[in-house]
Tab-separated table of all heavy atoms in Angstrom:
chain	number	residue	atom	x	y	z
A	113	HIS	N	-127.903	-104.508	107.407
A	113	HIS	CA	-128.205	-105.437	108.506
A	113	HIS	C	-127.178	-105.304	109.631
A	113	HIS	O	-127.532	-105.190	110.809
A	113	HIS	CB	-128.232	-106.867	107.950
A	113	HIS	CG	-128.407	-107.924	108.988
A	113	HIS	ND1	-128.107	-109.244	108.755
A	113	HIS	CD2	-128.827	-107.860	110.267
A	113	HIS	CE1	-128.344	-109.951	109.851
A	113	HIS	NE2	-128.792	-109.135	110.779
A	114	SER	N	-125.903	-105.304	109.280
A	114	SER	CA	-124.854	-105.207	110.293
A	114	SER	C	-124.865	-103.846	110.991
A	114	SER	O	-124.591	-103.747	112.195
A	114	SER	CB	-123.479	-105.452	109.663
A	114	SER	OG	-123.384	-106.780	109.176
A	115	LEU	N	-125.188	-102.785	110.240
A	115	LEU	CA	-125.279	-101.456	110.840
A	115	LEU	C	-126.426	-101.394	111.843
A	115	LEU	O	-126.291	-100.818	112.932
A	115	LEU	CB	-125.474	-100.402	109.749
A	115	LEU	CG	-125.310	-98.942	110.182
A	115	LEU	CD1	-123.906	-98.679	110.683
A	115	LEU	CD2	-125.651	-98.009	109.011
A	116	VAL	N	-127.561	-102.006	111.484
A	116	VAL	CA	-128.699	-102.069	112.408
A	116	VAL	C	-128.327	-102.859	113.656
A	116	VAL	O	-128.653	-102.471	114.785
A	116	VAL	CB	-129.926	-102.695	111.712
A	116	VAL	CG1	-131.039	-102.968	112.717
A	116	VAL	CG2	-130.435	-101.776	110.612
A	117	ASP	N	-127.626	-103.979	113.460
A	117	ASP	CA	-127.201	-104.797	114.610
A	117	ASP	C	-126.276	-104.014	115.540
A	117	ASP	O	-126.327	-104.174	116.767
A	117	ASP	CB	-126.495	-106.062	114.124
A	117	ASP	CG	-127.472	-107.110	113.618
A	117	ASP	OD1	-128.683	-106.909	113.782
A	117	ASP	OD2	-127.012	-108.130	113.059
A	118	THR	N	-125.419	-103.168	114.971
A	118	THR	CA	-124.531	-102.343	115.796
A	118	THR	C	-125.337	-101.386	116.666
A	118	THR	O	-125.097	-101.255	117.874
A	118	THR	CB	-123.565	-101.543	114.910
A	118	THR	OG1	-122.818	-102.447	114.089
A	118	THR	CG2	-122.592	-100.739	115.760
A	119	GLY	N	-126.303	-100.708	116.038
A	119	GLY	CA	-127.165	-99.806	116.808
A	119	GLY	C	-127.978	-100.539	117.854
A	119	GLY	O	-128.191	-100.043	118.963
A	120	ASN	N	-128.428	-101.744	117.507
A	120	ASN	CA	-129.206	-102.535	118.461
A	120	ASN	C	-128.383	-102.887	119.693
A	120	ASN	O	-128.897	-102.904	120.816
A	120	ASN	CB	-129.708	-103.813	117.791
A	120	ASN	CG	-130.802	-103.532	116.781
A	120	ASN	OD1	-131.391	-102.447	116.780
A	120	ASN	ND2	-131.082	-104.490	115.929
A	121	GLY	N	-127.107	-103.186	119.490
A	121	GLY	CA	-126.239	-103.472	120.622
A	121	GLY	C	-126.149	-102.279	121.563
A	121	GLY	O	-126.173	-102.428	122.794
A	122	GLY	N	-126.061	-101.087	120.979
A	122	GLY	CA	-126.036	-99.875	121.801
A	122	GLY	C	-127.317	-99.698	122.588
A	122	GLY	O	-127.293	-99.294	123.763
A	123	LEU	N	-128.461	-100.006	121.965
A	123	LEU	CA	-129.738	-99.894	122.669
A	123	LEU	C	-129.840	-100.899	123.819
A	123	LEU	O	-130.375	-100.583	124.888
A	123	LEU	CB	-130.895	-100.109	121.689
A	123	LEU	CG	-131.108	-99.002	120.655
A	123	LEU	CD1	-132.248	-99.362	119.727
A	123	LEU	CD2	-131.395	-97.667	121.341
A	124	LEU	N	-129.332	-102.108	123.610
A	124	LEU	CA	-129.352	-103.103	124.688
A	124	LEU	C	-128.464	-102.664	125.853
A	124	LEU	O	-128.827	-102.849	127.023
A	124	LEU	CB	-128.898	-104.465	124.150
A	124	LEU	CG	-129.870	-105.185	123.226
A	124	LEU	CD1	-129.241	-106.470	122.686
A	124	LEU	CD2	-131.171	-105.528	123.949
A	125	LEU	N	-127.302	-102.095	125.539
A	125	LEU	CA	-126.443	-101.577	126.610
A	125	LEU	C	-127.144	-100.457	127.377
A	125	LEU	O	-127.068	-100.387	128.615
A	125	LEU	CB	-125.132	-101.052	126.026
A	125	LEU	CG	-124.079	-102.089	125.636
A	125	LEU	CD1	-122.880	-101.406	125.013
A	125	LEU	CD2	-123.638	-102.914	126.850
A	126	TYR	N	-127.828	-99.597	126.657
A	126	TYR	CA	-128.571	-98.524	127.308
A	126	TYR	C	-129.672	-99.102	128.188
A	126	TYR	O	-129.908	-98.619	129.305
A	126	TYR	CB	-129.162	-97.589	126.260
A	126	TYR	CG	-129.938	-96.429	126.841
A	126	TYR	CD1	-129.283	-95.382	127.485
A	126	TYR	CD2	-131.325	-96.394	126.760
A	126	TYR	CE1	-129.995	-94.320	128.031
A	126	TYR	CE2	-132.047	-95.343	127.303
A	126	TYR	CZ	-131.380	-94.307	127.937
A	126	TYR	OH	-132.084	-93.262	128.483
A	127	GLY	N	-130.350	-100.133	127.688
A	127	GLY	CA	-131.391	-100.776	128.476
A	127	GLY	C	-130.847	-101.387	129.759
A	127	GLY	O	-131.456	-101.267	130.825
A	128	LEU	N	-129.683	-102.039	129.671
A	128	LEU	CA	-129.057	-102.605	130.869
A	128	LEU	C	-128.694	-101.513	131.871
A	128	LEU	O	-128.858	-101.672	133.088
A	128	LEU	CB	-127.801	-103.394	130.486
A	128	LEU	CG	-128.013	-104.779	129.859
A	128	LEU	CD1	-126.695	-105.333	129.336
A	128	LEU	CD2	-128.622	-105.737	130.876
A	129	HIS	N	-128.183	-100.391	131.344
A	129	HIS	CA	-127.814	-99.277	132.219
A	129	HIS	C	-129.040	-98.698	132.921
A	129	HIS	O	-129.029	-98.469	134.142
A	129	HIS	CB	-127.118	-98.191	131.400
A	129	HIS	CG	-126.927	-96.899	132.135
A	129	HIS	ND1	-126.003	-96.749	133.155
A	129	HIS	CD2	-127.558	-95.692	132.000
A	129	HIS	CE1	-126.067	-95.516	133.623
A	129	HIS	NE2	-126.996	-94.853	132.946
A	130	ARG	N	-130.110	-98.476	132.168
A	130	ARG	CA	-131.327	-97.904	132.753
A	130	ARG	C	-131.977	-98.868	133.742
A	130	ARG	O	-132.494	-98.444	134.784
A	130	ARG	CB	-132.310	-97.555	131.643
A	130	ARG	CG	-131.889	-96.411	130.760
A	130	ARG	CD	-131.949	-95.091	131.501
A	130	ARG	NE	-133.310	-94.791	131.943
A	130	ARG	CZ	-133.628	-93.839	132.810
A	130	ARG	NH1	-132.660	-93.113	133.363
A	130	ARG	NH2	-134.885	-93.616	133.145
A	131	ALA	N	-131.944	-100.163	133.432
A	131	ALA	CA	-132.578	-101.156	134.309
A	131	ALA	C	-131.894	-101.230	135.666
A	131	ALA	O	-132.503	-101.650	136.655
A	131	ALA	CB	-132.568	-102.528	133.640
A	132	ALA	N	-130.633	-100.838	135.726
A	132	ALA	CA	-129.875	-100.907	136.981
A	132	ALA	C	-130.109	-99.697	137.879
A	132	ALA	O	-129.591	-99.659	139.006
A	132	ALA	CB	-128.382	-101.041	136.678
A	133	GLN	N	-130.880	-98.696	137.421
A	133	GLN	CA	-131.127	-97.512	138.239
A	133	GLN	C	-131.951	-97.876	139.472
A	133	GLN	O	-132.874	-98.685	139.397
A	133	GLN	CB	-131.872	-96.444	137.424
A	133	GLN	CG	-131.122	-95.955	136.203
A	133	GLN	CD	-129.792	-95.319	136.560
A	133	GLN	OE1	-129.717	-94.398	137.365
A	133	GLN	NE2	-128.716	-95.836	135.971
A	134	PRO	N	-131.645	-97.285	140.627
A	134	PRO	CA	-132.394	-97.600	141.847
A	134	PRO	C	-133.797	-97.006	141.814
A	134	PRO	O	-134.070	-96.078	141.034
A	134	PRO	CB	-131.542	-96.952	142.944
A	134	PRO	CG	-130.835	-95.827	142.260
A	134	PRO	CD	-130.565	-96.310	140.862
A	135	PRO	N	-134.704	-97.515	142.633
A	135	PRO	CA	-136.064	-96.951	142.706
A	135	PRO	C	-136.042	-95.490	143.125
A	135	PRO	O	-135.134	-95.039	143.827
A	135	PRO	CB	-136.752	-97.823	143.768
A	135	PRO	CG	-135.940	-99.068	143.844
A	135	PRO	CD	-134.523	-98.662	143.533
A	136	ASP	N	-137.048	-94.750	142.676
A	136	ASP	CA	-137.191	-93.368	143.102
A	136	ASP	C	-138.669	-93.065	143.288
A	136	ASP	O	-139.513	-93.959	143.225
A	136	ASP	CB	-136.527	-92.409	142.099
A	136	ASP	CG	-137.044	-92.587	140.676
A	136	ASP	OD1	-138.223	-92.982	140.528
A	136	ASP	OD2	-136.296	-92.340	139.723
A	137	ARG	N	-138.994	-91.795	143.485
A	137	ARG	CA	-140.381	-91.431	143.771
A	137	ARG	C	-141.307	-91.738	142.601
A	137	ARG	O	-142.442	-92.179	142.793
A	137	ARG	CB	-140.450	-89.933	144.112
A	137	ARG	CG	-141.843	-89.452	144.525
A	137	ARG	CD	-141.788	-87.991	144.958
A	137	ARG	NE	-141.295	-87.130	143.891
A	137	ARG	CZ	-142.065	-86.639	142.905
A	137	ARG	NH1	-143.350	-86.937	142.850
A	137	ARG	NH2	-141.539	-85.854	141.992
A	138	LEU	N	-140.837	-91.511	141.389
A	138	LEU	CA	-141.675	-91.750	140.216
A	138	LEU	C	-141.751	-93.231	139.843
A	138	LEU	O	-142.722	-93.670	139.224
A	138	LEU	CB	-141.146	-90.947	139.027
A	138	LEU	CG	-141.239	-89.431	139.150
A	138	LEU	CD1	-140.626	-88.759	137.925
A	138	LEU	CD2	-142.697	-88.988	139.327
A	139	HIS	N	-140.717	-93.997	140.179
A	139	HIS	CA	-140.680	-95.423	139.863
A	139	HIS	C	-140.284	-96.196	141.123
A	139	HIS	O	-139.127	-96.601	141.278
A	139	HIS	CB	-139.688	-95.703	138.727
A	139	HIS	CG	-140.050	-95.023	137.436
A	139	HIS	ND1	-139.668	-93.736	137.164
A	139	HIS	CD2	-140.776	-95.448	136.358
A	139	HIS	CE1	-140.131	-93.384	135.963
A	139	HIS	NE2	-140.807	-94.405	135.462
A	140	PRO	N	-141.222	-96.369	142.038
A	140	PRO	CA	-140.897	-96.975	143.338
A	140	PRO	C	-140.430	-98.419	143.250
A	140	PRO	O	-139.802	-98.910	144.195
A	140	PRO	CB	-142.218	-96.866	144.108
A	140	PRO	CG	-143.272	-96.730	143.060
A	140	PRO	CD	-142.639	-95.986	141.942
A	141	PHE	N	-140.734	-99.116	142.159
A	141	PHE	CA	-140.285	-100.494	141.996
A	141	PHE	C	-139.033	-100.593	141.130
A	141	PHE	O	-138.611	-101.693	140.763
A	141	PHE	CB	-141.388	-101.367	141.388
A	141	PHE	CG	-142.553	-101.579	142.309
A	141	PHE	CD1	-143.833	-101.725	141.799
A	141	PHE	CD2	-142.378	-101.625	143.681
A	141	PHE	CE1	-144.911	-101.927	142.649
A	141	PHE	CE2	-143.449	-101.822	144.536
A	141	PHE	CZ	-144.721	-101.964	144.020
A	142	GLY	N	-138.463	-99.463	140.769
A	142	GLY	CA	-137.244	-99.481	139.977
A	142	GLY	C	-137.509	-99.376	138.483
A	142	GLY	O	-138.640	-99.160	138.031
A	143	TYR	N	-136.440	-99.565	137.700
A	143	TYR	CA	-136.488	-99.375	136.246
A	143	TYR	C	-136.207	-100.667	135.474
A	143	TYR	O	-135.784	-100.624	134.321
A	143	TYR	CB	-135.455	-98.315	135.839
A	143	TYR	CG	-135.791	-96.917	136.289
A	143	TYR	CD1	-135.567	-96.515	137.602
A	143	TYR	CD2	-136.337	-95.994	135.409
A	143	TYR	CE1	-135.872	-95.225	138.024
A	143	TYR	CE2	-136.638	-94.697	135.809
A	143	TYR	CZ	-136.407	-94.322	137.123
A	143	TYR	OH	-136.721	-93.050	137.527
A	144	GLY	N	-136.445	-101.799	136.113
A	144	GLY	CA	-136.075	-103.072	135.500
A	144	GLY	C	-136.651	-103.301	134.119
A	144	GLY	O	-135.992	-103.884	133.250
A	145	ARG	N	-137.872	-102.842	133.889
A	145	ARG	CA	-138.515	-103.114	132.606
A	145	ARG	C	-137.971	-102.265	131.465
A	145	ARG	O	-138.375	-102.448	130.318
A	145	ARG	CB	-140.028	-102.924	132.726
A	145	ARG	CG	-140.694	-104.113	133.404
A	145	ARG	CD	-142.185	-104.024	133.397
A	145	ARG	NE	-142.780	-105.222	133.962
A	145	ARG	CZ	-144.044	-105.317	134.355
A	145	ARG	NH1	-144.842	-104.272	134.231
A	145	ARG	NH2	-144.519	-106.445	134.855
A	146	GLU	N	-137.074	-101.336	131.751
A	146	GLU	CA	-136.412	-100.584	130.679
A	146	GLU	C	-135.707	-101.545	129.718
A	146	GLU	O	-135.719	-101.342	128.502
A	146	GLU	CB	-135.397	-99.601	131.268
A	146	GLU	CG	-136.011	-98.375	131.915
A	146	GLU	CD	-135.947	-97.157	131.012
A	146	GLU	OE1	-135.567	-97.296	129.837
A	146	GLU	OE2	-136.280	-96.065	131.501
């Protein structure tokens, strides 16, 4: 359980990082839903 929670924290950090990416041609409204 704790090992899964550790990995989940990494995925949430990755999601926050991806969501902060600016809009581009393929995603004109940005990446917020990541």
Side-chain angles (χ1 to χ4, degrees):
H113 175 198
S114 295
L115 192 62
V116 171
D117 283 352
T118 303
N120 289 344
L123 291 178
L124 289 176
L125 282 177
Y126 181 72
L128 284 171
H129 169 72
R130 291 290 299 167
Q133 299 300 305
D136 55 30
R137 184 175 59 84
L138 294 178
H139 298 86
F141 292 148
Y143 291 79
R145 282 186 176 165
E146 285 259 8

